[in-house]
Amino acid sequence: VQLQASGGGLAQAGGSLRLSCAASGPTFSRYAVAWFRQAPGKEREFVAAIRRSGTTPYYGDSVKGRFTISRDNAKNTVYLQMNSLKPEDTAIYYCAADAGIITSSIGIPRNYDYWGQGTQVTVSS
């Protein structure tokens, strides 16, 4: 599966952005999808993930209550709604997919087989 992340840009603190991860291929619904982010000089950080059915979301501690992940399998797209943005949310955001991810591994980047190219999110104070 090929992934294309989009929707990044510049936002003010307290503002919102919505990222999209569009996938190619007819089997997208078989994949769990996650968002990770990486700021300069930092390790890649788990942001959110959603299982194939879309009924079980997972969030990193730093974004709980502010970000919402969802998916539309008919459109082969996963979304990340980011509200109450903070300057520390500034990073390149990547979407990733894997067909066999297990719950204990859902926040670990190396367990994902497919990655999009990343989209830059910059939050000004």
Side-chain angles (χ1 to χ4, degrees):
V1 61
Q2 292 184 324
L3 305 174
Q4 178 78 31
S6 63
L10 178 65
Q12 291 189 333
S16 299
L17 286 172
R18 188 176 82 157
L19 305 184
S20 297
C21 178
S24 64
T27 60
F28 174 68
S29 61
R30 299 180 185 177
Y31 293 82
V33 177
W35 287 95
F36 293 86
R37 67 187 183 186
Q38 190 164 19
K42 295 187 176 181
E43 292 186 353
R44 195 160 292 192
E45 177 189 10
F46 171 68
V47 176
I50 191 165
R51 289 209 167 275
R52 297 178 294 180
S53 64
T55 57
T56 308
Y58 303 85
Y59 296 99
D61 289 341
S62 61
V63 306
K64 283 180 181 176
R66 300 188 298 121
F67 291 10
T68 302
I69 190 170
S70 62
R71 70 188 295 161
D72 185 339
N73 286 337
K75 296 183 178 180
N76 279 10
T77 303
V78 169
Y79 304 99
L80 184 68
Q81 179 66 44
M82 306 187 296
N83 298 329
S84 302
L85 284 164
K86 303 176 181 180
E88 51 264 44
D89 294 320
T90 295
I92 299 175
Y93 284 69
Y94 299 90
C95 59
D98 195 88
I101 201 83
I102 60 175
T103 301
S104 60
S105 300
I106 209 162
I108 303 173
R110 68 173 181 270
N111 291 312
Y112 288 82
D113 288 337
Y114 303 98
W115 289 83
Q117 85 291 357
T119 185
Q120 175 72 47
V121 171
T122 303
V123 183
S124 62
S125 57

